[in-house]
Amino acid sequence: VAAQRREARPGGIPRLPAAAAGSDHRILCAPWEAQPRLLSSRGLGNAAELSSGADAGAAFVVGPGAAEGVAQSLGQGLGSQGLADLAQLQPGGLGESSLLAAAAAVPAVPAELPFAGTVQLLFGAFAAAASGAQILRSGAERDAPETGLGVRTIGIFAVWATLVAYAAANTGGFGDPAQDKVLLDKLLSTPFDGSVSPLFVSIFNFMGLWPAIYAALLLPGARNQSPVPAWPFLALSFFLGAFALSPYLALRQIRGYGEADARSSLDFVTANVLESRLNGVFVFGSGAFLALFAAGNGDPAAAGLASLSAAWVGLEPLLRESITAHVTCIDFCILWAFAGPVLLEDGQRRGLFLEWTTSERLLFALCWAVPVLGPAVWLTLRPPL
């Protein structure tokens, strides 16, 4: 047996001795956990047909009496699929009762997540509906603030609970955790080398800009917030996005028109960094580069509709196969949708979005409709407290 292991071609299976040849040669092909099915070797056009038609992770067993030529051709065909050398040899040597099994080294094809792109849009629409209900009620809430479980709290918690349940239900059931780890390593070490979908690289990095935007919008009205403080949720949102930020958005007090703190009463970071127009310029510049990188499919200079279409084609397999990419894109859509009411509140603290003049409507629509870049424009142009 050891000699036959050494003689085996890399990726193939050992050649069976002539003594094992006979008329009763059978080839069994089945996944390890599935019910076996027998195929006659004489009915196979060639061994490659079996290898290409079998699922990755299947077991290929050459039974007693398999002809040497069949074993050789089977080894060649299955070797091209990346089979292990010799995975299992039952006790008893290569006698009539023995089986020689080679298991596919190629990992089983992971189950795909459904509806690539559609789930993200559905979550975004769900969150946008919750935000729209808040905006429609903003005037009434200014006159009579909600107490208890109001429209805002129920809407945001409904989106958040659905997100948590969806992520929990699909984590572990789809994709390959090892591949997700490789994906994260690339995103953190060499994100712009072209080895990862440029569109997803941009979305992943946008997830670092969204918390900075929310911090600049929320912290000017976060002093002595009740019932929960802002900073723990904002800090965690840099790592967990909407998973961490949503509970704060649902529970906090609205502080819009007439409830602005004087700039002098704000903490140092909020007053001197987040309130600075340079902060908005930095966020806009970073977002613009990422947007061009995505629209150019990795080449900002080639940004255009054709390149953006190619970028989407490159992203779609990730949405189906990687739970990390799938949930990250959902998270992005939710943070985008939730930004509208927060932006409205920040504007009302500064005396805007009260009369809803034509210019105010256009400004608000622009700043909410364009993800990341729109809020960055607001941070750059907004009046001081």
Side-chain angles (χ1 to χ4, degrees), residues 189-276:
S189 58
T190 55
F192 302 107
D193 66 352
S195 61
V196 180
S197 159
L199 183 51
F200 181 64
V201 169
S202 295
I203 292 173
F204 184 82
N205 284 278
F206 279 146
M207 296 303 293
L209 294 179
W210 273 125
I213 290 170
Y214 273 95
L217 294 174
L218 290 169
L219 288 179
R223 191 165 68 96
N224 299 324
Q225 263 285 358
S226 176
V228 290
W231 68 267
F233 298 92
L234 285 168
L236 286 174
S237 69
F238 279 93
F239 306 96
L240 299 175
F243 287 91
L245 188 61
S246 298
Y248 175 73
L249 295 179
L251 296 173
R252 70 193 179 91
Q253 295 175 334
I254 298 296
R255 293 181 177 173
Y257 177 70
E259 299 183 73
D261 290 324
R263 183 166 179 169
S264 59
S265 66
L266 301 178
D267 62 86
F268 178 84
V269 173
T270 303
N272 295 282
V273 178
L274 299 180
E275 280 289 312
S276 171

Side-chain angles (χ1 to χ4, degrees), residues 83-243:
L83 292 182
D85 177 11
L86 182 63
Q88 177 182 342
L89 184 65
Q90 292 189 354
L94 293 174
E96 291 186 357
S97 63
S98 68
L99 294 175
L100 186 64
V106 176
V109 177
E112 290 186 344
L113 287 152
F115 314 119
T118 306
V119 172
Q120 287 75 15
L121 292 177
L122 288 175
F123 267 99
F126 187 11
S131 294
Q134 294 178 59
I135 291 172
L136 290 175
R137 199 189 178 285
S138 61
E141 186 166 352
R142 187 169 66 246
D143 299 328
E146 288 182 341
T147 58
L149 296 178
V151 172
R152 171 172 56 91
T153 301
I154 293 174
I156 293 176
F157 266 128
V159 175
W160 179 74
T162 306
L163 171 64
V164 171
Y166 181 84
N170 288 292
T171 299
F174 294 91
D176 182 357
Q179 291 300 317
D180 273 358
K181 184 178 183 303
V182 172
L183 175 64
L184 286 173
D185 288 343
K186 289 181 178 179
L187 288 169
L188 296 175
S189 58
T190 55
F192 302 107
D193 66 352
S195 61
V196 180
S197 159
L199 183 51
F200 181 64
V201 169
S202 295
I203 292 173
F204 184 82
N205 284 278
F206 279 146
M207 296 303 293
L209 294 179
W210 273 125
I213 290 170
Y214 273 95
L217 294 174
L218 290 169
L219 288 179
R223 191 165 68 96
N224 299 324
Q225 263 285 358
S226 176
V228 290
W231 68 267
F233 298 92
L234 285 168
L236 286 174
S237 69
F238 279 93
F239 306 96
L240 299 175
F243 287 91

